[in-house]
Amino acid sequence: MRQRRVIINTDAKNEADDQFAIVHGLLSPTFDVRGLIPAHFGTRRTRRSMEESREEIDLLLELLKMTGSVTVANGAAAALPDERTPADSPGARLIIEESKLASDGDPLYVAFLGPLTDMATAILLDPGLVRRPVVVIWIGGSGYRGYDEGPGIEFNLSNDIHAANVVFDSGITVWQVPRDVYTKVSVSYAELEERIGDAGPLGRYLIEQLHEWNAACHPAPIESRSLGDSPAIALMLFPQSGNLRVTPAPRFGADGSYLPGSNHPIRVAEEIDVRFLLADMFAKIRAFGRERAS
């Protein structure tokens, strides 16, 4: 089977949706997962966010019976101090080394489910990387179409605006999934129970940790959650599952606003095939549960 070379960079313990995206990626047979990179998610809730992401990745690998079979390379512990100074890490070095193996017929896809710190660092350490066949898929930034959701700066952007500017200015291939698109990948508690409630310890963990996060962190009554990181997996599985519009690359202001930028072309997702995404993910989790039960 032909495979797509993939790295997943994830702030895995930030919320409750990274877990679904990581599992979906690892259970997809067309992915050759070259590594998982735990990412920081700022200091608002913890002073060891990258380390907590690493611990969550390790737990998921244990539930998937994949401990030791997938490379895990820690990312930076904090955001870039400015747009010129890299935050060196094993994760950034992994991106550089894997990019050197990419070819036009076999590009490297790097999915970022949190800040772009490690991609920006890789570019600053090895500027030639931007001329290699590497596709950066980023879940982040506010919407472009005037009906964005959520107050303030989009969370993933807020955790490293300098890094976002480095990446968007660089000319590397970028597919962006902004907030007004990724928030529409919602699942309800009832759907989760129906789809993966009987999918063994993995399914139970995914559901329970989502309930726990909502109970601890959501300010209003709720019985659902957006699996906002999962569009990155769908786009790597089947790029035509998203409607991507070509637009000039912007820069980001300190308030998260879009400013005139480098004008390098990037692709911005305006729609994701949510039916395909969720059906494929739930089917793979259920199949894994049946396999482990047999």
Side-chain angles (χ1 to χ4, degrees):
M1 177 183 292
R2 293 180 59 192
Q3 290 185 300
R4 181 167 284 125
R5 297 172 62 250
V6 167
I7 292 173
I8 300 174
N9 185 292
T10 166
D11 54 348
K13 196 58 177 176
N14 168 42
E15 293 187 20
D17 54 336
D18 288 73
Q19 290 84 344
F20 287 84
I22 294 166
V23 166
H24 192 184
L26 290 171
L27 291 179
S28 293
T30 53
F31 285 0
D32 176 11
V33 179
R34 307 301 298 169
L36 300 173
I37 302 175
H40 72 90
F41 48 94
T43 58
R44 279 165 278 194
R45 294 200 297 271
T46 177
R47 292 289 176 179
R48 52 187 305 274
S49 60
M50 186 279 291
E51 291 84 354
E52 291 184 12
S53 292
R54 173 62 190 252
E55 291 162 3
E56 189 71 359
I57 288 171
D58 289 342
L59 174 58
L60 292 171
L61 290 173
E62 182 179 346
L63 287 167
L64 288 162
K65 309 300 182 185
M66 292 183 180
T67 300
S69 64
V70 179
T71 297
V72 183
N74 287 351
L80 300 186
D82 54 53
E83 293 183 25
R84 299 172 302 280
T85 307
D88 202 352
S89 69
R93 296 287 176 174
L94 175 66
I95 294 170
I96 292 170
E97 292 310 308
E98 288 295 329
S99 76
K100 294 175 181 177
L101 303 176
S103 66
D104 289 336
D106 184 21
L108 173 68
Y109 290 78
V110 192
F112 286 83
L113 315 183
L116 285 164
T117 307
D118 301 312
M119 191 70 237
T121 292
I123 291 169
L124 290 170
L125 290 172
D126 182 5
L129 190 158
V130 303
R131 294 186 293 275
R132 298 174 195 140
V134 175
V135 179
V136 176
I137 302 177
W138 181 45
I139 305 292
S142 59
Y144 290 77
R145 298 176 293 176
Y147 49 84
D148 188 24
E149 296 186 2
I153 305 176
E154 190 275 330
F155 187 79
N156 289 343
L157 173 63
S158 74
N159 283 325
D160 202 337
I161 294 175
H162 292 316
N165 281 329
V166 169
V167 174
F168 275 59
D169 278 352
S170 71
I172 201 166
T173 300
V174 172
W175 298 356
Q176 180 189 4
V177 184
R179 180 167 58 185
D180 64 333
V181 175
Y182 73 65
T183 52
K184 303 305 184 292
V185 188
S186 295
V187 294
S188 70
Y189 293 171
E191 181 180 13
L192 287 171
E193 285 294 338
E194 182 70 17
R195 299 293 188 182
I196 61 170
D198 59 352
L202 175 64
R204 290 311 320 164
Y205 176 73
L206 290 172
I207 293 171
E208 289 167 5
Q209 60 89 33
L210 186 147
H211 280 251
E212 290 168 4
W213 197 94
N214 273 356
C217 301
H218 202 277
I222 192 170
E223 56 180 88
S224 64
R225 186 84 201 146
S226 172
L227 302 185
D229 289 319
S230 288
I233 305 302
L235 287 172
M236 292 190 294
L237 282 170
F238 182 48
Q240 285 72 39
S241 68
N243 287 335
L244 302 176
R245 175 176 57 88
V246 178
T247 190
R251 282 179 59 83
F252 300 90
D255 61 353
S257 61
Y258 291 109
L259 304 173
S262 67
N263 288 329
H264 293 296
I266 65 167
R267 295 180 180 270
V268 176
E270 295 188 333
E271 186 179 30
I272 295 291
D273 186 345
V274 177
R275 190 219 61 82
F276 162 73
L277 188 168
L278 294 180
D280 186 70
M281 178 181 66
F282 291 148
K284 287 170 178 171
I285 293 171
R286 288 183 61 82
F288 177 82
R290 287 195 302 271
E291 178 185 334
R292 291 300 166 185
S294 61

